[in-house]
Amino acid sequence: GESVGLHLPTLSVQEGDNSIINCAYSNSASDYFIWYKQESGKGPQFIIDIRSNMDKRQGQRVTVLLNKTVKHLSLQIAATQPGDSAVYFCAENANTGFQKLVFGTGTRLLVSP
Amino acid sequence: SAVISQKPSRDICQRGTSLTIQCQVDSQVTMMFWYRQQPGQSLTLIATANQGSEATYESGFVIDKFPISRPNLTFSTLTVSNMSPEDSSIYLCSVSVGAANTEAFFGQGTRLTVV
Protein backbone atom coordinates (compact mmCIF):
# COMPACT_ATOMS: atom_id res chain seq x y z
CA GLY A 1 0.00 0.00 0.00
CA GLU A 2 0.95 3.64 -0.26
CA SER A 3 3.41 4.82 2.36
CA VAL A 4 3.35 7.99 4.36
CA GLY A 5 6.14 10.35 3.46
CA LEU A 6 6.74 9.53 -0.18
CA HIS A 7 7.66 13.13 -0.96
CA LEU A 8 9.28 14.11 2.31
CA PRO A 9 12.95 14.98 2.95
CA THR A 10 14.90 11.83 3.69
CA LEU A 11 17.75 11.18 6.09
CA SER A 12 19.67 7.97 5.46
CA VAL A 13 21.96 6.60 8.16
CA GLN A 14 23.76 3.39 9.02
CA GLU A 15 22.70 1.28 11.95
CA GLY A 16 24.55 2.38 15.06
CA ASP A 17 25.04 5.96 13.89
CA ASN A 18 23.47 8.90 15.67
CA SER A 19 20.67 10.66 13.78
CA ILE A 20 19.68 14.29 13.96
CA ILE A 21 16.33 15.40 12.57
CA ASN A 22 15.63 19.10 12.37
CA CYS A 23 12.46 21.15 12.40
CA ALA A 24 11.78 24.85 12.02
CA TYR A 25 8.59 25.93 13.74
CA SER A 26 6.48 28.86 12.78
CA ASN A 27 4.97 30.55 15.81
CA SER A 28 7.15 32.39 18.30
CA ALA A 29 4.26 32.17 20.80
CA SER A 30 4.28 28.36 20.77
CA ASP A 31 5.15 27.02 24.20
CA TYR A 32 4.96 23.27 23.81
CA PHE A 33 6.53 20.96 21.26
CA ILE A 34 6.26 17.27 20.51
CA TRP A 35 8.12 14.83 18.29
CA TYR A 36 6.10 12.04 16.73
CA LYS A 37 7.15 8.91 14.87
CA GLN A 38 4.89 7.52 12.18
CA GLU A 39 5.42 4.10 10.69
CA SER A 40 3.71 3.06 7.50
CA GLY A 41 0.05 2.28 8.04
CA LYS A 42 0.00 3.59 11.58
CA GLY A 43 -0.92 6.74 13.39
CA PRO A 44 1.71 9.06 14.87
CA GLN A 45 3.33 7.77 18.04
CA PHE A 46 4.55 10.12 20.76
CA ILE A 47 8.34 10.13 21.23
CA ILE A 48 9.22 13.07 23.44
CA ASP A 49 8.02 16.55 24.30
CA ILE A 50 9.52 19.78 25.58
CA ARG A 51 8.15 22.98 27.01
CA SER A 52 9.42 26.38 26.06
CA ASN A 53 11.01 26.98 29.45
CA MET A 54 13.55 24.26 28.64
CA ASP A 55 16.18 24.00 25.94
CA LYS A 56 16.97 20.30 26.23
CA ARG A 57 15.19 17.16 27.32
CA GLN A 58 16.41 13.60 27.24
CA GLY A 59 14.56 10.33 26.96
CA GLN A 60 15.62 6.81 26.22
CA ARG A 61 18.04 7.10 23.26
CA VAL A 62 16.40 10.37 22.23
CA THR A 63 17.15 14.00 23.00
CA VAL A 64 15.17 17.04 21.96
CA LEU A 65 16.83 20.43 21.68
CA LEU A 66 14.89 23.68 21.48
CA ASN A 67 16.34 26.95 20.26
CA LYS A 68 13.68 29.61 20.68
CA THR A 69 15.88 32.36 19.30
CA VAL A 70 15.82 30.86 15.82
CA LYS A 71 12.61 28.82 16.27
CA HIS A 72 14.38 25.54 15.74
CA LEU A 73 13.76 22.11 17.19
CA SER A 74 15.86 18.99 16.75
CA LEU A 75 15.52 15.34 17.60
CA GLN A 76 18.65 13.33 18.22
CA ILE A 77 18.46 9.54 18.15
CA ALA A 78 21.46 7.71 19.57
CA ALA A 79 22.64 4.39 18.16
CA THR A 80 19.98 4.36 15.46
CA GLN A 81 18.38 1.00 14.79
CA PRO A 82 16.49 -0.35 11.75
CA GLY A 83 13.32 -0.17 13.83
CA ASP A 84 13.75 3.60 13.98
CA SER A 85 13.01 3.83 10.25
CA ALA A 86 9.85 5.92 9.96
CA VAL A 87 8.63 9.43 9.25
CA TYR A 88 9.26 11.89 12.07
CA PHE A 89 7.10 14.96 12.65
CA CYS A 90 7.56 17.87 14.99
CA ALA A 91 4.43 19.54 16.28
CA GLU A 92 3.92 22.81 18.12
CA ASN A 93 1.09 23.94 20.31
CA ALA A 94 0.23 27.34 18.98
CA ASN A 95 -2.41 28.25 21.55
CA THR A 96 -1.78 28.37 25.26
CA GLY A 97 -4.60 26.77 27.21
CA PHE A 98 -5.97 24.92 24.22
CA GLN A 99 -4.43 21.81 22.76
CA LYS A 100 -4.15 22.57 19.04
CA LEU A 101 -1.13 21.01 17.42
CA VAL A 102 0.41 22.35 14.22
CA PHE A 103 2.57 19.76 12.49
CA GLY A 104 5.78 20.30 10.57
CA THR A 105 6.39 18.82 7.16
CA GLY A 106 8.12 15.67 8.40
CA THR A 107 11.38 13.85 7.70
CA ARG A 108 11.75 10.28 6.58
CA LEU A 109 14.49 8.38 8.39
CA LEU A 110 15.95 5.35 6.64
CA VAL A 111 18.28 3.14 8.67
CA SER A 112 20.43 0.64 6.83
CA PRO A 113 21.70 -2.46 8.62
CA SER B 1 -2.33 7.35 28.06
CA ALA B 2 -5.27 6.53 25.83
CA VAL B 3 -6.05 3.75 23.40
CA ILE B 4 -7.91 4.92 20.34
CA SER B 5 -9.72 2.68 17.87
CA GLN B 6 -10.81 3.88 14.47
CA LYS B 7 -13.21 2.20 12.07
CA PRO B 8 -12.90 1.48 9.26
CA SER B 9 -9.15 1.17 8.93
CA ARG B 10 -9.44 1.64 5.19
CA ASP B 11 -12.10 1.97 2.53
CA ILE B 12 -12.49 2.52 -1.18
CA CYS B 13 -15.49 4.67 -2.00
CA GLN B 14 -17.26 5.91 -5.08
CA ARG B 15 -17.23 9.63 -5.76
CA GLY B 16 -20.39 11.41 -4.66
CA THR B 17 -20.94 9.09 -1.70
CA SER B 18 -20.27 9.74 1.99
CA LEU B 19 -18.25 7.81 4.56
CA THR B 20 -18.54 8.01 8.32
CA ILE B 21 -15.43 7.25 10.36
CA GLN B 22 -15.77 6.23 13.97
CA CYS B 23 -13.36 6.95 16.80
CA GLN B 24 -13.62 5.17 20.14
CA VAL B 25 -11.42 5.98 23.14
CA ASP B 26 -10.87 3.73 26.14
CA SER B 27 -11.25 6.60 28.61
CA GLN B 28 -13.27 9.79 28.93
CA VAL B 29 -11.61 12.75 27.27
CA THR B 30 -12.69 16.32 26.96
CA MET B 31 -11.20 17.12 23.59
CA MET B 32 -11.06 15.02 20.46
CA PHE B 33 -9.50 16.13 17.22
CA TRP B 34 -9.76 15.08 13.60
CA TYR B 35 -6.81 15.40 11.26
CA ARG B 36 -6.30 14.80 7.58
CA GLN B 37 -3.05 13.52 6.14
CA GLN B 38 -2.90 13.73 2.38
CA PRO B 39 -0.56 11.37 0.52
CA GLY B 40 3.07 12.12 1.30
CA GLN B 41 2.22 15.08 3.47
CA SER B 42 1.95 16.15 7.07
CA LEU B 43 -1.11 16.27 9.29
CA THR B 44 -3.62 19.09 9.06
CA LEU B 45 -6.22 19.72 11.74
CA ILE B 46 -9.77 19.56 10.41
CA ALA B 47 -11.72 20.31 13.56
CA THR B 48 -11.93 20.00 17.32
CA ALA B 49 -14.86 18.02 18.67
CA ASN B 50 -16.06 18.86 22.16
CA GLN B 51 -18.82 16.94 23.88
CA GLY B 52 -21.99 18.93 24.20
CA SER B 53 -21.14 21.60 21.68
CA GLU B 54 -20.64 22.00 17.96
CA ALA B 55 -17.27 21.17 16.52
CA THR B 56 -14.83 23.99 15.84
CA TYR B 57 -13.52 23.89 12.28
CA GLU B 58 -10.19 25.10 11.01
CA SER B 59 -9.77 27.39 8.04
CA GLY B 60 -10.54 25.55 4.84
CA PHE B 61 -12.83 22.98 6.42
CA VAL B 62 -16.61 23.34 6.71
CA ILE B 63 -19.32 21.48 8.55
CA ASP B 64 -21.29 20.63 5.42
CA LYS B 65 -18.33 18.71 4.01
CA PHE B 66 -17.04 17.22 7.27
CA PRO B 67 -19.91 16.91 9.76
CA ILE B 68 -18.76 15.71 13.18
CA SER B 69 -20.66 14.15 16.03
CA ARG B 70 -19.54 13.90 19.66
CA PRO B 71 -22.35 12.19 21.56
CA ASN B 72 -20.28 11.36 24.66
CA LEU B 73 -16.82 11.62 26.18
CA THR B 74 -15.47 8.45 24.58
CA PHE B 75 -16.78 8.56 21.02
CA SER B 76 -16.81 10.75 17.92
CA THR B 77 -17.55 10.40 14.24
CA LEU B 78 -16.31 12.28 11.20
CA THR B 79 -18.24 12.09 7.95
CA VAL B 80 -16.61 12.87 4.64
CA SER B 81 -19.52 13.99 2.47
CA ASN B 82 -20.03 14.00 -1.28
CA MET B 83 -16.56 12.60 -1.80
CA SER B 84 -14.25 13.36 -4.68
CA PRO B 85 -10.83 11.86 -5.49
CA GLU B 86 -9.25 14.90 -3.79
CA ASP B 87 -10.62 13.58 -0.49
CA SER B 88 -8.37 10.53 -0.72
CA SER B 89 -6.32 10.79 2.45
CA ILE B 90 -5.64 9.26 5.81
CA TYR B 91 -8.06 10.59 8.42
CA LEU B 92 -6.84 10.46 12.00
CA CYS B 93 -8.59 10.81 15.31
CA SER B 94 -6.63 12.26 18.22
CA VAL B 95 -7.28 12.93 21.89
CA SER B 96 -5.62 14.96 24.59
CA VAL B 97 -6.01 13.46 28.04
CA GLY B 98 -4.39 16.11 30.18
CA ALA B 99 -4.43 19.82 30.49
CA ALA B 100 -3.17 22.01 27.72
CA ASN B 101 0.38 21.32 26.65
CA THR B 102 0.25 17.60 27.13
CA GLU B 103 0.76 14.93 24.55
CA ALA B 104 -1.93 14.00 22.09
CA PHE B 105 -2.59 10.36 21.24
CA PHE B 106 -3.59 9.17 17.80
CA GLY B 107 -5.62 6.37 16.37
CA GLN B 108 -4.20 4.24 13.59
CA GLY B 109 -6.03 6.24 10.97
CA THR B 110 -8.55 5.53 8.24
CA ARG B 111 -7.06 5.28 4.77
CA LEU B 112 -9.68 6.54 2.33
CA THR B 113 -9.45 6.14 -1.42
CA VAL B 114 -12.10 7.78 -3.58
CA VAL B 115 -12.50 6.45 -7.10
Side-chain angles (χ1 to χ4, degrees):
Chain A
E2 183 178 356
S3 299
V4 170
L6 286 177
H7 309 295
L8 298 176
T10 299
L11 174 65
S12 297
V13 301
Q14 292 288 122
E15 181 177 3
D17 287 352
N18 296 331
S19 301
I20 300 176
I21 300 171
N22 296 304
C23 176
Y25 64 91
S26 58
N27 190 339
S28 57
S30 292
D31 57 0
Y32 178 63
F33 306 87
I34 308 177
W35 278 101
Y36 283 96
K37 172 185 180 183
Q38 188 176 28
E39 297 173 286
S40 183
K42 298 183 179 180
Q45 177 186 0
F46 172 88
I47 301 174
I48 192 168
D49 60 1
I50 189 167
R51 287 172 171 72
S52 60
N53 60 353
M54 304 172 68
D55 53 21
K56 179 179 180 179
R57 188 159 189 236
Q58 288 185 290
Q60 187 177 13
R61 280 202 309 119
V62 294
T63 301
V64 55
L65 299 177
L66 174 63
N67 185 331
K68 295 181 288 293
T69 302
V70 295
K71 293 190 287 186
H72 183 268
L73 199 64
S74 69
L75 176 70
Q76 301 178 359
I77 305 174
T80 314
Q81 304 166 0
D84 295 326
S85 294
V87 178
Y88 290 80
F89 293 99
C90 67
E92 61 184 296
N93 186 15
N95 286 288
T96 300
F98 182 87
Q99 186 73 313
K100 176 179 170 179
L101 293 177
V102 175
F103 280 77
T105 55
T107 297
R108 181 157 127 127
L109 177 65
L110 293 176
V111 183
S112 305
Chain B
S1 66
V3 177
I4 302 167
S5 300
Q6 275 185 244
K7 291 181 181 179
S9 58
R10 59 175 62 227
D11 207 343
I12 301 172
C13 300
Q14 295 290 324
R15 67 179 69 199
T17 64
S18 298
L19 176 72
T20 296
I21 302 168
Q22 299 179 5
C23 178
Q24 179 76 52
V25 191
D26 68 344
S27 57
Q28 294 185 340
V29 295
T30 303
M31 305 185 78
M32 297 180 76
F33 307 87
W34 287 99
Y35 287 82
R36 181 176 73 183
Q37 186 173 28
Q38 294 177 300
Q41 297 190 26
S42 187
L43 286 76
T44 301
L45 182 63
I46 297 172
T48 302
N50 297 322
Q51 196 267 337
S53 63
E54 283 199 359
T56 303
Y57 288 83
E58 297 300 306
S59 176
F61 298 97
V62 296
I63 187 171
D64 289 347
K65 176 67 176 177
F66 297 101
I68 288 170
S69 79
R70 183 79 199 275
N72 57 52
L73 291 173
T74 63
F75 188 78
S76 178
T77 67
L78 170 76
T79 299
V80 186
S81 303
N82 188 25
M83 288 183 285
S84 67
E86 291 71 36
D87 295 319
S88 298
S89 287
I90 300 171
Y91 292 87
L92 293 142
C93 172
S94 172
V95 304
S96 180
V97 298
N101 292 351
T102 57
E103 63 185 284
F105 297 92
F106 284 83
Q108 82 279 12
T110 296
R111 186 180 298 273
L112 170 63
T113 302
V114 184
V115 296

